[in-house]
Amino acid sequence: MTPLIIDTDPGVDDAFAIALAAASPEIDLLAVTTVFGNVGLAHTTANALRLLELCGRSEVPVARGADRPLVHPCPHRAADVHGMDGLSGQSGTLPEPTRGVVPRGAVDLMAALLNAATEPVTIAPIGPLTNIALLLATHPEVKPKIGRLVIMGGGLAGGNTTAAAEFNVWSDPEAAHRVLSGEDVPTVLVPVDLTHRCAVDAAWLDALAGGGPVAKGLSLLTETYRQHYRQHQGRDGLVLHDAIALAEVIRPGILRTAACPVAVECSFGPSRGATVADRRLAADPRVQTVQIAVDTDVDDLLAFVLGRITQGR
Ligand code: BDR
Ligand code: CA
């Protein structure tokens, strides 16, 4: 089993990512930690608790993390994409949480779990990288305990929030800079270049709606998100960014990767939050590289995600 911590800002696609991990026997879900992002921290934390309840996994500890970026305030949220509550205005359709957050904060909980771990732990950051930058900065001793960071973020050929920047990186570029080019931890980066190629269509969403209770519960959360993609991409469907990263956690190698150094633009110009991959240096042993997810068998991957979620309890 792969021990896993999910660091998240639910978020509709985060909801699918959590459900996918929760339904996977290969995964030992140690904790879910929350961060500001798609909506504010109060909503992302409440959503994480409710989603675990839906999945029948209320025993998984949830810890609250950063409510703002490391350095520069960032007022932008993604309520236009995910709804005012982060779940298309439908978070009230999820079961009430039977448990609250643990008293420890996200960084403390991650550090304690990593320090106690007897085998490498995967961390899946699928929101802004603030908690992860803080963890690595304040607890460097845990780095050897991290098997992989599997991060959803970045866009090599452009962004989804600005012309240059993807949402998670754009939300806290300084944190992303620290994690992607300031630390030597094995990292897979799953950028929008690939996640957009893995969009699901109306037939996939129909099959979801006809699935078990978890699948039906998720289906109810998709309306605003689906509407966003309808308006902006002119097609009926949606992009499950964060769930694509979780598929790689559950089935390592389902995404094909290529090693490359990545720098994050932290200036205040139009490129703020851009992720710049320097392919010239990909083979240079002196530079830190990350594994960038570049390709997958899209049909296989989407069938895998659907199968797991529709069979969920
Ligand atoms: C990322 O930004 C958020 O809106 C999604 O939840 C995902 O993590 C995609 O750019
Ligand atoms: Ca997210």
Side-chain angles (χ1 to χ4, degrees):
M1 274 175 115
T2 302
L4 173 66
I5 299 170
I6 301 178
D7 188 64
T8 177
D9 62 334
V12 177
D13 57 326
D14 303 74
F16 282 81
I18 291 168
L20 183 58
S24 291
E26 301 90 341
I27 296 300
D28 178 13
L29 189 53
L30 301 181
V32 171
T33 54
T34 60
V35 64
F36 76 94
N38 289 317
V39 286
L41 184 67
H43 278 309
T44 61
T45 305
N47 292 346
L49 289 165
R50 284 176 180 267
L51 286 163
L52 287 168
E53 201 72 45
L54 172 73
C55 298
R57 298 299 305 275
S58 61
E59 85 286 0
V60 175
V62 174
R64 205 185 272 122
D67 67 355
R68 51 153 287 175
L70 279 186
V71 183
H72 297 288
C74 168
H76 182 89
R77 297 284 179 269
D80 51 329
V81 182
H82 294 265
M84 294 303 285
D85 64 353
L87 297 175
S88 294
Q90 299 298 314
S91 58
T93 63
L94 294 171
E96 281 290 331
T98 52
R99 314 250 311 242
V101 293
V102 298
R104 278 184 154 137
V107 173
D108 277 0
L109 180 64
M110 283 194 273
L113 290 168
L114 289 163
N115 274 316
T118 53
E119 54 183 318
V121 176
T122 297
I123 304 180
I126 54 175
L129 286 157
T130 318
N131 291 341
I132 308 303
L134 286 167
L135 172 72
L136 298 175
T138 57
H139 295 275
E141 79 283 359
V142 303
K143 284 195 257 180
K145 297 292 193 84
I146 300 174
R148 299 197 290 174
L149 295 173
V150 181
I151 298 172
M152 192 281 130
L156 305 186
N160 61 354
T161 297
T162 70
E166 178 278 332
F167 180 80
N168 290 339
V169 175
W170 187 82
S171 295
D172 194 345
E174 285 75 19
H177 171 71
R178 173 87 191 226
V179 175
L180 294 174
S181 44
E183 301 287 354
D184 197 12
V185 176
T187 297
V188 177
L189 185 69
V190 184
V192 286
D193 313 69
L194 181 60
T195 60
H196 278 143
R197 285 174 44 207
C198 302
V200 301
D201 61 13
W204 193 99
L205 290 164
D206 285 348
L208 176 80
V214 173
K216 284 193 166 66
L218 291 175
S219 181
L220 292 175
L221 309 176
T222 57
E223 196 179 318
T224 303
Y225 196 62
R226 192 170 177 175
Q227 181 66 13
H228 166 81
Y229 283 105
R230 205 177 279 129
Q231 271 171 4
H232 289 263
Q233 299 195 353
R235 62 181 179 209
D236 189 16
L238 44 86
V239 181
L240 294 174
H241 307 279
D242 296 338
I244 308 305
L246 261 295
E248 169 61 25
V249 172
I250 297 159
R251 272 181 52 187
I254 196 170
L255 307 184
R256 193 167 67 73
T257 64
C260 197
V262 171
V264 178
E265 175 61 74
C266 292
S267 74
F268 289 90
S271 296
R272 181 167 171 78
T275 40
V276 181
D278 193 343
R279 292 188 177 85
R280 297 169 311 155
L281 301 178
D284 187 334
R286 293 165 303 177
V287 296
Q288 185 197 332
T289 58
V290 302
Q291 295 288 333
I292 301 173
V294 292
D295 200 10
T296 191
D297 179 334
V298 175
D299 292 341
D300 174 58
L301 181 140
L302 295 180
F304 168 67
V305 174
L306 184 63
R308 282 288 161 94
I309 290 177
T310 51
Q311 284 154 27
R313 287 178 262 185

